């Protein structure tokens, strides 16, 4: 068999859902994923979608014990937190989808993979509009699942390619009647799924004590959803946004960016006034945190998760009173083998190692069973 085809088939198996997607016909011949009810704190009804695991790491920081909690969204179907977002976006537009024409979305990788998987399951055409920072392996995998991948390689003048990606999508929608754009950048289903599902799921997995929760920013949908959940339910959380230097997502000055999956070339529609508190991480810090975590624990995470871990270590260093920090890790390291975990790629982008873990010892896995449990202040939250 052709080696390229063999590689793509192996990649396809790696990124397909971990469990079969439940699908049934609905009016108009369009298939729907799961029953009509929007996902709540227990996840999609009648599906085998299980909560993503939370892993506590015990570290010693300047002689004091701390716990770094990692919620590993790579264990979701389609391998990232964007599996949840894709489900919500699909639910919001499914009545408008023509199975002959399909849908289109701008993506930095993970949402494209999730939508490609859903579209393939339902035999609906899907076009992913990406840029050169999306790794070749991710592009190959989307194509292997039947998606059409369009690479927009013209920089937008704001440190990335997003503005030109969006312009391409808008042009296609105007030119092709019936083509549906879920628009993860403005669709309220994006933050809603995290307010109603991801955040309450996390709350049941953490000890009922004050913690700092770190959420990475791209579209801003996840952070906005967590903000809404905290405002409504008042858990004992210090919610902190994490972005990269050069990103405009929270209203900061734009600059060149090399990491995919975190940051944006425009202000988040869901956070029009920005968000505070927020931590901004340099790319070398994010990449070094990925390498440190992999070497210390064997856990490989993506670049946005590396930014979260780097921010957490910085916050531990700045405030001895912080004993527990949670990182909502959007994806795993398998999608970054030819970027973050490639010495050649790091050298090409001048990402010299940074000692992000100065003063840290340990990093062993703790037993979470004795420390976690549902928060007694919210007995109606259950997770299957």
């Amino acid at each position: 068999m052709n080696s390229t085809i063999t590689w793509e088939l192996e990649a396809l198996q790696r990124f397909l859902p971990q469990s079969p997607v439940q699908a049934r016909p609905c009016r108009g011949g369009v298939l729907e994923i799961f029953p009509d009810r929007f996902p709540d704190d227990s996840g999609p009804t009648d599906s085998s979608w299980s909560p993503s695991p939370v892993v506590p790491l015990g570290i010693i920081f300047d002689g004091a014990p701390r716990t770094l909690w990692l919620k590993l969204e790579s264990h979701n179907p389609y391998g990232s937190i964007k599996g949840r977002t894709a489900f919500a976006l699909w639910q919001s537009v499914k009545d408008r989808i023509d199975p002959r024409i399909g849908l289109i979305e701008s993506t930095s990788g993970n949402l494209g993979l999730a939508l490609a998987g859903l579209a393939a399951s339902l035999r609906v055409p899907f076009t992913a509009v990406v840029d050169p920072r999306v790794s070749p392996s991710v592009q190959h995998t989307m194509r292997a699942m039947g998606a059409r991948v369009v690479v927009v390689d013209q920089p937008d003048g704001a440190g990335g390619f997003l503005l030109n990606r969006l312009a391409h999508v808008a042009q296609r929608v105007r030119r092709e009647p019936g083509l549906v754009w879920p628009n993860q950048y403005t669709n309220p289903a994006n933050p809603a799924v995290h307010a109603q599902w991801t955040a309450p799921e996390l709350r049941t997995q953490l000890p009922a004590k004050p913690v700092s929760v770190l959420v990475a920013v791209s579209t801003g949908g996840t952070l906005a959803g967590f903000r809404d959940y905290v405002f409504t339910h008042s858990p004992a959380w210090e919610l902190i946004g994490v972005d990269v230097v050069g990103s405009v997502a929270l209203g900061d000055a734009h600059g060149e960016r090399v990491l995919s999956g975190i940051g944006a070339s425009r202000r988040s529609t869901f956070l029009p006034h920005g968000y505070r508190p927020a931590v901004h991480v340099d790319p070398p810090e994010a990449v070094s945190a990925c390498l440190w975590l992999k070497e210390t624990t064997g856990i490989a995470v993506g670049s946005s998760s590396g930014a979260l871990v780097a921010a957490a270590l910085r916050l531990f260093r700045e405030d001895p009173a912080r004993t527990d920090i949670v990182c909502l890790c959007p994806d795993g390291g398998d999608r970054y083998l030819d970027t973050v975990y490639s010495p050649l790629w790091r050298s090409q982008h001048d990402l010299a190692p940074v000692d992000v873990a100065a003063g840290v010892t340990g990093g062993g896995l703790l037993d979470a069973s004795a420390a976690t449990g549902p928060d007694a202040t919210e007995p109606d939250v259950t997770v299957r």
Side-chain angles (χ1 to χ4, degrees), residues 32-365:
E32 67 177 349
I33 303 296
F34 309 117
D36 283 330
R37 189 169 61 84
F38 192 82
D40 62 9
D41 45 79
S42 62
T45 303
D46 297 334
S47 82
S48 52
W49 199 310
S50 301
S52 60
V54 173
V55 176
L57 303 180
I59 63 176
I60 305 297
F61 211 106
D62 292 336
R66 314 288 178 89
T67 304
L68 178 62
W69 303 79
L70 307 177
K71 184 163 176 61
L72 301 177
E73 291 289 285
S74 59
H75 289 255
N76 286 329
Y78 307 110
S80 76
I81 195 171
K82 292 294 189 177
R84 303 177 191 261
T85 308
F87 167 71
L89 294 175
W90 190 287
Q91 288 288 89
S92 72
V93 301
K94 68 175 187 282
D95 293 336
R96 296 193 287 117
I97 295 176
D98 185 329
R100 299 166 301 175
I101 301 174
L103 67 162
I104 187 171
E105 183 59 273
S106 165
T107 172
S108 59
N110 283 329
L111 182 65
L113 286 166
L115 285 176
L118 288 174
S121 299
L122 303 177
R123 293 181 172 84
V124 172
F126 169 62
T127 298
V129 180
V130 304
D131 61 57
R133 287 184 306 207
V134 176
S135 73
S137 62
V138 170
Q139 295 184 43
H140 283 311
T141 303
M142 285 191 283
R143 291 189 179 100
M145 286 192 284
R148 181 189 178 199
V149 178
V150 175
V151 181
V152 174
D153 57 6
Q154 182 67 33
D156 58 16
F161 302 84
L162 175 60
L163 302 182
N164 288 336
R165 278 175 18 209
L166 294 176
H168 177 85
V169 173
Q171 182 183 54
R172 287 281 304 277
V173 171
R174 287 194 302 268
R175 195 171 63 225
E176 302 174 37
L179 184 63
V180 172
W181 178 17
N183 198 346
Q184 63 165 322
Y185 306 93
T186 62
N187 192 326
N190 183 348
V193 73
H194 301 296
Q196 300 177 29
W197 183 8
T198 317
E201 176 183 297
L202 174 62
R203 188 173 185 181
T204 67
Q205 297 172 301
L206 294 175
K209 65 176 182 178
V211 296
S212 300
V213 177
L214 273 54
V215 177
V217 177
S218 179
T219 66
T222 307
L223 180 57
F226 269 68
R227 175 205 60 191
D228 295 345
Y229 177 78
V230 170
F231 179 80
T232 302
H233 297 278
S234 302
W237 291 357
E238 176 194 29
L239 182 63
I240 300 173
V242 176
D243 204 354
V244 288
V245 174
S247 168
V248 188
L250 298 180
D252 301 280
H254 71 77
E256 185 177 357
R257 291 176 291 111
V258 299
L259 301 179
S260 64
I262 184 170
S265 299
R266 67 174 215 174
R267 185 188 290 266
S268 168
T269 304
F270 307 116
L271 301 164
H273 305 295
Y275 182 84
R276 294 293 182 271
V279 176
H280 287 75
V281 176
D282 285 314
E285 290 181 277
V287 171
S288 297
C290 288
L291 301 178
W292 170 79
L293 188 67
K294 178 69 165 60
E295 180 180 353
T296 305
T297 67
I299 298 174
V301 296
S303 53
S304 55
S305 304
L308 295 172
V309 172
L313 295 176
R314 187 192 303 176
L315 291 169
F316 276 142
R317 184 177 294 108
E318 292 175 353
D319 185 0
R322 283 194 179 93
T323 59
D324 294 80
I325 296 181
V326 184
C327 296
L328 181 67
C329 299
D331 60 7
D334 53 345
R335 299 174 181 189
Y336 301 85
L337 299 180
D338 43 9
T339 54
V340 170
Y341 294 95
S342 164
L344 176 61
W345 181 87
R346 297 196 300 270
S347 175
Q348 290 173 338
H349 292 86
D350 296 322
L351 297 174
V354 177
D355 189 7
V356 293
V360 176
T361 57
L365 302 181

